[in-house]
Amino acid sequence: MRRLLAAIVLIVLIVMAGASQAAPLVLTADTRHASLEGRLEHFADAANALSFEAVRQQRFTLLPEFRSLGYDTAAHWFRFELSNQASAAPARWVLTIGIPELEEVDIWVEKPEGGFAQYALGYHRPYGDRPYQTRLFAVPVDASGHTDVYFRVRTHNAINVTAELWQPGVFVANETRSNFHGGLYFGILLIAVLLYSILGAWLRDVVMAAYAGYIASQVLFNLGVTGYLPVLFALDAPWLVDVFPRIGWLGGAIAIVLMWSRLLELKQAYPRIHRLYRFTIVLNLALLPFALMPFLVTSALLVVVKLANYLNSLNFLIGMALVLIAWWRTRRVELMVYFVAFIIPALGTGVNTAANLGMLPQNVVALYQMAPLVHVLVMSCGLALRLRQVPRDKAMAEQKATLATQRTEEQRRFVAMLSHEFRNPLAAIDRSAQMIGIKTPELAAGESRRLAQIRGNVATLSGLVDNFLLTEALDHGGLALSRTHCPIRPLLEEAVRMLGEDAGKRVVLTVEPSDAAFSLDPTLLGMAVGNLMDNALRYSPPDTAVEIAATVSAGELRIRIADRGPSLNDEDLAMLGTPYYRADSSLGKKGSGLGYYFARRIVEAHGGNLQASAGDGGGMVVEIGLRGTAKLHTATGPQERLCDVVH
């Protein structure tokens, strides 16, 4: 019994040992092309330290099919045997090894006279060293009797290895056919790049221009994947063949988020996602120099690159989700076409990733390479629908803009008419209140306060009416400037005096030089300065000073008004000057939202500029800048009389 069990175990071990070795590939006169799938034996040198002679003594394992071995930095050895016993079979063959992105491929082919012929090929090695100038790694094999072939692969990409044997004539015919298909493939993509670039420039459409950039990035990336870059740039510069795929990867990420941002109008609809996309563009642009100069890449930068890849994937998922949401809301057919179009390369990428990890056999990789072409064809249908929709959207937008302009003009005319009609009743109320005060000086304190309050409210309404009318005149060019050389100090002192005695005590005024005069309209500029100072006094604490500093030099007048009130954030500063806009800090304060706008229009009418910013120590700083002619002011003379209107 024991002898029987030992015999069975021995038989099983013999069978297992035989199964671990591949039978030789027998070449005959009828063999034109043969795949080595199921005949490759494999050995992994984890330390990457064994020599060819040492490896020949190692035990190899049979690989049943062409399937990726995943990602690692080990040296992977492969072996197979050829048998050419038939005298009619050709002696010269061509061995091709792929995929084209393998960085280092060292091949040892047994020679009929003994010894081995060695070839050093690879994606990162000079293209001129290849025995056959093709995109795959091809070497001659002289098969006579029994021939052993070994090859070693080292790469940072997935260990995807295929091997085939060809008769020389059949190999040339196959390369011709493959190059024709490759040229057709890339030709279609390049035509799409040219077409959408022209359409984007002609229509000034960022979406089409960005999509042209996306297709161009796919062209660059797939030129590397398919191995055509070394063929196109047959130079001894291995880094160059890596630059273009990296540019394609980064450029594709930039183009796709720019396209989604404009296509889905993220700035208005989803401002936070828009800011995320804008950050993505900046990040990928920052990585671009490192793609051009890989020697600058460090381990820390590789972490950033991985994060950028994760962010690009997240942006893609967000974009697809937003497309579905937009389609659900509008039911626009082109949105669903966009979704389907970008699902295709996503599925292709998923298939390629699964193949690189060894989950799927290598014969499915062709689906990944065909995905961009199918994507472009489907996306072209969606963009054609968009081209048809763009004129309609433009016409509707123009119609809405025209209607909005008409309504705005009607409202402005109505407000101007009301403002003009308000003047007489307000003047009558003010005169009546003034006469009551004159004729009844013995009024009690309470009644006197109410009478003063009436006159104060009338003055506020009168100022508001004046602002309405003056703004209307400035907007429509109905108010002409009356420039004259006016002394600056008296002009500003008069503007301070008009604010009232209490307000004047809080104002700190400086003029450099103190006797300077400048060419301006004293009435309008005085009103602009008055509005700005009124705002500064109103919004700053009552026990703080408001500083007004005017300087005249080199034909330029600058008036700076600084207060100690609340500062405005960037968003409020950007909105400052919009008619009727009031920031959150103005709650509880009187105002119409026209003061700054009114002052800005007056300054612009002078050809100057008005800028507002947050003060270094808090508060607001508003600065008027005018260019013109400046003179020194004398105590008496023509300059004084010309500006009598302001003092």
Side-chain angles (χ1 to χ4, degrees), residues 39-91:
R39 299 181 184 274
L40 289 182
E41 298 174 4
H42 169 255
F43 168 74
D45 178 11
N48 192 17
L50 296 179
S51 65
F52 172 60
E53 295 300 330
V55 167
R56 292 182 64 190
Q57 308 303 318
Q58 303 299 318
R59 180 181 180 83
F60 282 67
T61 303
L62 178 64
L63 297 177
E65 59 181 342
F66 290 153
R67 189 180 288 262
S68 173
L69 299 175
Y71 294 85
D72 62 45
T73 57
H76 290 265
W77 290 81
F78 300 87
R79 180 182 69 185
F80 64 91
E81 299 177 12
L82 299 176
S83 177
N84 188 3
Q85 304 296 337
S87 58

Side-chain angles (χ1 to χ4, degrees), residues 495-517:
V496 173
R497 188 185 66 80
M498 293 297 294
L499 295 173
E501 184 177 353
D502 293 338
K505 295 178 181 179
R506 296 173 52 194
V507 175
V508 178
L509 173 63
T510 58
V511 179
E512 292 292 339
S514 60
D515 54 353

Side-chain angles (χ1 to χ4, degrees), residues 163-192:
E164 295 176 287
L165 207 64
W166 307 79
Q167 286 189 16
V170 179
F171 170 71
V172 172
N174 182 72
E175 283 299 294
T176 303
R177 184 167 52 252
S178 297
N179 290 335
F180 173 78
H181 292 156
L184 185 64
Y185 173 84
F186 288 107
I188 293 174
L189 294 181
L190 289 174
I191 290 173

Side-chain angles (χ1 to χ4, degrees), residues 12 26 64 86-87 97 102 136 173 176 180 217 222 254 281 305 361 398 409 434-435 483-484 495 560 594 596 624:
V12 170
V26 178
S87 58
I97 297 174
L102 298 174
L136 297 176
T176 303
F180 173 78
S217 70
N222 281 282
I254 294 171
I281 293 175
V305 171
E398 290 176 350
E409 289 299 321
Q434 187 178 15
M435 291 302 296
R483 283 182 177 268
T484 183
R560 184 176 184 273
L594 285 174
Y596 189 88
I624 296 173

